[in-house]
Amino acid sequence: DELLMGYGFALDVNEEQNGYSADEVSFLWPFPSGDKAKAELLRAAGYGRSGEASISIKATCMRNVPELCSVMRLLAASTDDMERLLQRCPTPTDAHAVKGISVQNESRMLFMLWRYACTQCMWVEDTDSAAAPL
């Protein structure tokens, strides 16, 4: 118990002064150029401005996690989610301003993260995000 209280579950910051972190993870997704609303929010956040075909985000346990989750929520958003999002007041100005849209969207976003992290898990390859359990 004393060791747990002394060390807890905290992680050391494993970052060098130049910004490099051995714990950094790169995420890469196709840019949704066919969806005008998503594309505009992503471009406003700095993605796809030069015509890139993909979105790249680097994250560590200390850096870029909120931005990563916001972009993933946007990418996982259904047509209904996008309608809800664009009717909010104030309307998000960029992809990083996208917060929780719906329980279903959060579920799809978390499934997307799990699928990205666990490509070898049972039933992942046979299941799409629409069938993700709630």
Side-chain angles (χ1 to χ4, degrees), residues 4-63:
L4 180 59
M5 288 176 60
Y7 293 105
F9 292 99
L11 296 173
D12 288 336
V13 177
N14 192 15
E15 222 170 57
E16 296 177 11
Q17 287 190 353
N18 66 2
Y20 171 77
S21 172
D23 299 329
E24 187 173 80
V25 178
S26 294
F27 293 84
L28 189 67
W29 290 285
F31 190 86
S33 54
D35 188 317
K36 184 180 176 185
K38 288 181 183 181
E40 286 177 4
L41 288 169
L42 286 162
R43 283 191 187 100
Y47 304 101
R49 286 187 179 164
S50 303
E52 298 97 343
S54 60
I55 299 164
S56 176
I57 302 175
K58 294 182 179 188
T60 70
C61 64
M62 306 298 286
R63 196 170 19 101

Side-chain angles (χ1 to χ4, degrees), residues 51-94:
E52 298 97 343
S54 60
I55 299 164
S56 176
I57 302 175
K58 294 182 179 188
T60 70
C61 64
M62 306 298 286
R63 196 170 19 101
N64 290 340
V65 173
E67 294 84 355
L68 172 66
C69 291
S70 291
V71 167
M72 289 175 58
R73 284 182 187 104
L74 183 61
L75 294 174
S78 66
T79 303
D80 289 343
D81 290 333
M82 289 304 294
E83 285 180 21
R84 276 189 211 99
L85 182 66
L86 297 175
Q87 290 175 358
R88 286 188 177 165
C89 186
T91 302
T93 56
D94 65 40

